[in-house]
Amino acid sequence: MKTISLIGSTGSIGTQTLDVCMKHNIKVKALAAKRSVRLLAEQAHKFNAEIVCVFDEDKYNELCGLMTDTDAEVLCGMDGLCKVAELDGIDLFVNSVVGMVGLLPTLKAIEKGRDIALANKETLVAGGIIVMQKAEEKGVKIYPIDSEHSAIFQCLQGNDKKQLNKIILTASGGPFFGKTKAELENVTVEQALNHPNWSMGNKITIDSATLMNKGLEFIEAKWLFGVEPEDIEIVVNRESVLHSAVEFDDYSVIGQLGTPDMKIPIQYALLYPERYECDVNRLSLTDYGTLSFYKPDYETFDCLRACIEAIKKGGAYPCLVNGANEEAVKLFLERRISFLDIGRIVSGILTEFEPMEINTYEDVLKADKAAREYVVRRVSV
Ligand code: MN
């Protein structure tokens, strides 16, 4: 029986991860969430968790009150998240929090030699250099939970990675596929939150509408699979059925297909290399009839272009675009900036900052903070 610890348990990936654990008898030793303590406590009871942690410290007392009928240890804050990540006696640490907050727990787990199932994009985008270096040093395996990276990972099984010629990273195109910038000028928060194929949390749904999400995934792919930016092609598949593909040196292309449901990549990461029945609708190609493919529109979607430029420039630039985007999305959701402002801000940061190197976690924090301050400054004038 496998044992995991999980941070981000009340989010979209977190709750689906727990569904997979329930179905396949995976033991959940520790759980953490941002601030939804009622659901968190419910999950902790259901799985008999030994440790339960809430990130927002003002929710600590409430969580303690909800756990008094158990022997569970109750923790809070970043220290708590890191304890969940470092926990002894687990096979896999699952990181499904949203944002930069996921980076330190990832580094702590690697330090302990713990294998990781990773849904937290920002970990690799902001800290890719140090995360991959440390993971290699410690022999830690990182299993991607993101559907695209899981697809690429699956396509590489049984093949020699040295013969990988190109990654074909697929995108849904988001709710604003085919639109021009002029048509996107007055997009509302509600319109941006309405994704055609995937149901996800707010931050990633906005990132999918701006195509920032694909930009982040582009950067992640570079780190996870050790390829150059020139060797990753983004292709829009409107149906989100081809989850990504790889091309080998003989130009044979192998792709992974399935209905758009995160349970498949979550289960593959948790049970790798085993494959068991998954609680999803099966793919019927004939029900779809046709699959459509397009080039992405780099003109309209500034965020996507900015991410690719950032990883080509290297150093702190990926971290800067990520930090700027997190801040900009927050402002958009608060209705303080427009939809297109997100792209303007994210691409603006590339020309505003001199190159900086990333060698340590502190360097990442510094760049991230600088990016956020830039956004606040820019918006308040
Ligand atoms: Mn994805």
Side-chain angles (χ1 to χ4, degrees):
M1 190 159 100
K2 258 195 178 170
T3 304
I4 66 157
S5 70
L6 165 65
I7 66 172
S9 69
T10 58
S12 169
I13 298 292
T15 51
Q16 294 182 78
T17 297
L18 291 177
D19 289 344
V20 171
C21 291
M22 195 45 94
K23 182 175 168 80
H24 295 288
N25 261 316
I26 295 169
K27 189 174 156 51
V28 183
K29 200 168 170 183
L31 283 166
K34 187 169 193 299
R35 57 183 294 116
S36 309
V37 284
R38 286 196 171 276
L39 179 55
L40 176 61
E42 198 184 295
Q43 294 173 333
H45 280 88
K46 196 168 161 192
F47 284 90
N48 258 316
E50 292 169 28
I51 294 180
V52 51
C53 167
V54 60
F55 180 69
D56 286 359
E57 297 181 9
D58 62 320
K59 287 279 178 179
Y60 176 71
N61 285 337
E62 194 182 338
L63 180 59
C64 287
L66 293 165
M67 297 304 297
T68 44
D69 58 334
T70 71
D71 297 326
E73 187 183 347
V74 182
L75 304 171
C76 68
M78 184 54 93
D79 282 353
L81 291 190
C82 290
K83 273 196 185 142
V84 172
E86 294 171 319
L87 201 61
D88 284 322
I90 56 162
D91 303 299
L92 194 67
F93 164 58
V94 183
N95 185 343
S96 68
V97 301
V98 176
M100 261 290 285
V101 68
L103 179 57
L104 192 58
T106 295
L107 292 172
K108 295 286 180 186
I110 293 173
E111 213 54 66
K112 272 262 172 179
R114 189 83 60 243
D115 288 343
I116 302 171
L118 190 64
N120 175 250
K121 298 188 176 179
E122 295 80 358
T123 288
L124 280 178
V125 171
I129 303 173
I130 47 178
V131 168
M132 294 317 286
Q133 229 167 43
K134 282 195 182 200
E136 196 177 337
E137 246 171 63
K138 296 276 176 184
V140 164
K141 293 192 193 69
I142 298 178
Y143 300 104
I145 284 185
D146 209 344
S147 63
E148 294 80 359
H149 303 88
S150 173
I152 296 161
F153 181 64
Q154 292 183 52
C155 294
L156 288 171
Q157 298 301 310
N159 289 290
D160 187 346
K161 242 191 75 185
K162 286 199 275 307
Q163 293 165 354
L164 170 65
N165 191 47
K166 189 176 83 175
I167 284 174
I168 298 165
L169 181 72
T170 53
S172 72
F176 304 133
F177 174 76
K179 298 267 192 264
T180 62
K181 262 195 180 151
E183 289 170 312
L184 296 180
E185 199 58 67
N186 297 312
V187 161
T188 63
V189 170
E190 289 70 26
Q191 287 167 326
L193 282 176
N194 190 13
H195 194 278
N197 299 342
W198 297 96
S199 115
M200 308 168 287
N202 278 357
K203 199 257 177 186
I204 181 170
T205 304
I206 299 301
D207 286 350
S208 297
T210 60
L211 296 202
M212 181 71 190
N213 183 53
K214 207 49 55 181
L216 297 175
E217 290 179 355
F218 185 99
I219 297 170
E220 263 186 296
K222 183 231 146 43
W223 290 118
L224 275 172
F225 304 107
V227 295
E228 293 308 313
E230 292 72 23
D231 299 328
I232 306 172
E233 180 191 3
I234 300 174
V235 172
V236 173
N237 170 224
R238 283 301 281 158
E239 295 79 16
S240 297
V241 164
L242 177 66
H243 297 309
S244 278
V246 297
E247 181 194 77
F248 291 101
D249 285 341
D250 60 355
Y251 302 134
S252 182
V253 175
I254 297 185
Q256 187 255 337
L257 295 83
T259 44
D261 192 314
M262 287 306 295
K263 283 222 181 92
I264 296 176
I266 292 170
Q267 182 172 309
Y268 192 68
L270 261 53
L271 297 177
Y272 176 84
E274 304 296 334
R275 293 183 184 271
Y276 299 112
E277 195 206 9
C278 190
D279 283 333
V280 295
N281 293 324
R282 290 167 68 185
L283 174 65
S284 163
L285 286 171
T286 49
D287 280 357
Y288 277 93
T290 50
L291 297 179
S292 50
F293 298 98
Y294 304 88
K295 285 183 180 159
D297 176 357
Y298 296 101
E299 280 307 305
T300 305
F301 297 98
D302 290 341
C303 288
L304 180 59
R305 206 182 50 239
C307 284
I308 294 170
E309 209 181 315
I311 191 66
K312 285 183 177 167
K313 284 168 88 112
Y317 287 109
C319 180
L320 290 172
V321 290
N322 177 66
N325 178 63
E326 270 193 43
E327 225 31 58
V329 170
K330 215 186 295 166
L331 291 168
F332 173 67
L333 288 171
E334 290 167 3
R335 295 161 212 271
R336 290 174 55 201
I337 61 171
S338 76
F339 181 75
L340 289 181
D341 282 339
I342 303 173
R344 290 184 193 115
I345 288 169
V346 170
S347 37
I349 204 156
L350 291 171
T351 49
E352 287 294 320
F353 281 77
E354 294 299 316
M356 286 182 270
E357 270 189 39
I358 299 274
N359 296 311
T360 62
Y361 173 65
E362 285 67 35
D363 292 341
V364 178
L365 287 191
K366 216 175 92 190
D368 180 68
K369 186 161 172 270
R372 288 166 198 269
E373 284 170 358
Y374 160 79
V375 177
V376 172
R377 236 179 14 248
R378 193 174 149 153
V379 170
S380 56
V381 279

